[in-house]
Amino acid sequence: AKKIAVLTSGGDAPGMNAAVRSVVRTAISFGMEVYGVKHGYNGLLRGEVDKMYLRSVSNIIQHGGTSLFTARSPEFNTPEGVQKAADKCRELGIDGVVVIGGDGSFRGARDLTGAGIPCIGVPGTIDNDISSSEYTIGYDTAMNTAMEMIDRIRDTTESHDRCSVVEVMGRRCGDIALNTGIAVGAIATLVPEVPFDFEKDLVDRIKYAQQTGKRHFIVVVAEGVGHSEEICKRIQEETGIESRATILGHVQRGGSPTLRDRVVASRMGYHAVELLRDGKSNRVVVMQGERIVDFDITEALNMPRTFDEKLYKISQDLSR
Ligand code: ATP
């Protein structure tokens, strides 16, 4: 590819800016022309496409959100929309696109490749819910934010001898909850991957810890499990411990990206442009172990999700 574009799509994540910066600077280093597309696939359809230079991505590496803006595009999600976007790329002479987003965005990238425009996906989503990659851009920042917020909640929980039920993000993936639960010393962590028994996994755990002298409790609940308010009420009813529920919500989506997110985003963006330079298409850049590699998008989308059973066991055994 000689003239490439970059866009961010789906939910935003801290580190997306670092990825965009990396794509732009790498492309320029390789002698390519590079364009920034605003508002995800919507911007491609509407021609919101600007040429990017070295200085176009100045001073964004440390910022959360995405300076290219993001969108969910129902129009692109149709065969006609994909065709229209491909025609727009041809009109502009764009012969490669880097799509930073989640699985939905990768499906779009696969369809756009099918319509003749080589695409590369880069995983950007705080949930870490992309089965082909062990790590997604934004995940580390989101977990650290959740941890810091829960540390604050813990101060007040401790002062009042209370139980706090805290809901963290992760619709179908409990990774944020599991790691944050361990990091804050939660008495229980509920994730969508593991069914739970209210008496055994919550009430008994809390009562046992209470008998050994513990007086304040944190329960971490993944968004995909939900019902934090009800769980909280029921804990209070069955244990007699005053309980409060907090849903952290979008605070976890924002903020300055951590070092890990900035570095991984920089590496992944670089790898994406290398693939386009080498004439590759329909690939998704992923992390396996600590290595950055790539897979075919279609194969990546069909990979089964994995859950770290050992880490879950550790969280259970340490929650006492
Ligand atoms: P996140 O997981 O962070 O929400 P995502 O990339 O999975 O990110 P989606 O809203 O699922 O977010 O997808 C973003 C956009 O990708 C959609 O609005 C749509 O334009 C496009 N898209 C999703 N699925 C398809 C598909 N099957 N074919 C073509 N385009 C798609």
Side-chain angles (χ1 to χ4, degrees):
K2 282 272 174 298
K3 196 166 168 181
I4 68 168
V6 56
L7 62 85
T8 50
S9 167
D12 68 323
M16 278 185 162
N17 280 324
V20 169
R21 171 181 177 275
S22 170
V23 169
V24 168
R25 298 242 169 114
T26 306
I28 293 169
S29 297
F30 291 173
M32 298 168 167
E33 266 184 65
V34 57
Y35 289 78
V37 181
K38 300 260 170 73
H39 299 108
Y41 291 118
N42 273 340
L44 207 50
L45 293 169
R46 294 182 201 140
E48 285 182 76
V49 180
D50 300 309
K51 186 161 184 191
M52 306 284 270
Y53 304 91
L54 289 173
R55 298 275 81 74
S56 312
V57 289
S58 294
N59 205 34
I60 63 169
I61 195 167
Q62 77 278 28
H63 290 149
T66 163
S67 54
L68 287 178
F69 306 100
T70 184
R72 299 208 150 87
S73 172
E75 190 191 347
F76 179 77
N77 200 354
T78 60
E80 301 74 43
V82 172
Q83 201 51 54
K84 191 175 157 193
D87 289 343
K88 196 81 203 176
C89 288
R90 277 187 278 270
E91 187 188 313
L92 296 163
I94 289 167
D95 55 2
V97 180
V98 177
V99 174
I100 304 164
D103 273 342
S105 304
F106 294 167
R107 282 187 202 98
R110 174 199 60 199
D111 294 355
L112 190 58
T113 305
I117 306 299
C119 291
I120 306 291
V122 170
T125 164
I126 64 164
D127 287 359
N128 203 37
D129 60 353
I130 294 177
S131 44
S132 54
S133 188
E134 287 169 18
Y135 189 85
T136 60
I137 296 165
Y139 173 49
D140 189 57
T141 306
M143 283 191 297
N144 277 288
T145 302
M147 181 186 74
E148 283 167 28
M149 294 298 133
I150 299 174
D151 282 347
R152 288 166 193 245
I153 291 171
R154 193 194 187 106
D155 289 344
T156 156
T157 303
E158 184 180 13
S159 304
H160 290 268
D161 292 331
R162 279 182 185 147
C163 172
S164 279
V165 176
V166 187
E167 185 175 312
V168 300
M169 283 203 157
R171 265 181 313 219
R172 39 182 198 149
C173 177
D175 287 1
I176 293 180
L178 178 56
N179 285 275
T180 310
I182 291 173
V184 302
I187 189 71
T189 301
L190 308 181
V191 294
E193 290 89 344
V194 186
F196 74 97
D197 178 289
F198 200 89
E199 296 306 320
K200 185 168 119 326
D201 296 318
L202 287 168
V203 179
D204 291 354
R205 256 176 197 284
I206 291 171
K207 284 189 172 160
Y208 176 80
Q210 208 176 22
Q211 280 161 19
T212 62
K214 189 169 171 66
R215 296 169 63 85
H216 67 280
F217 306 88
I218 304 282
V219 174
V220 174
V221 180
E223 183 187 5
V225 172
H227 308 287
S228 328
E229 298 275 0
E230 286 139 73
I231 290 170
C232 179
K233 263 197 211 118
R234 212 170 138 193
I235 289 174
Q236 179 160 320
E237 279 162 17
E238 298 199 23
T239 65
I241 300 164
E242 197 186 354
S243 303
R244 294 279 189 277
T246 304
I247 297 172
L248 290 183
H250 276 105
V251 69
Q252 295 159 94
R253 283 261 282 265
S256 179
T258 59
L259 176 140
R260 180 153 172 84
D261 275 327
R262 296 181 200 191
V263 174
V264 173
S266 300
R267 293 173 67 196
M268 286 182 167
Y270 196 92
H271 193 98
V273 180
E274 282 181 321
L275 289 171
L276 287 174
R277 178 198 63 191
D278 297 342
K280 305 269 175 58
S281 77
N282 209 46
R283 309 291 295 176
V284 55
V285 176
V286 303
M287 186 173 245
Q288 293 282 316
E290 282 301 306
R291 291 181 57 228
I292 305 293
V293 295
D294 53 273
F295 293 136
D296 176 78
I297 293 185
T298 313
E299 281 171 29
L301 286 170
N302 289 326
M303 287 179 185
R305 284 238 15 245
T306 53
F307 179 69
D308 193 338
E309 302 287 348
K310 178 76 189 278
L311 196 59
Y312 182 73
K313 175 84 168 78
I314 291 172
S315 88
Q316 293 281 95
D317 287 353
L318 299 187
S319 306
R320 276 164 199 284

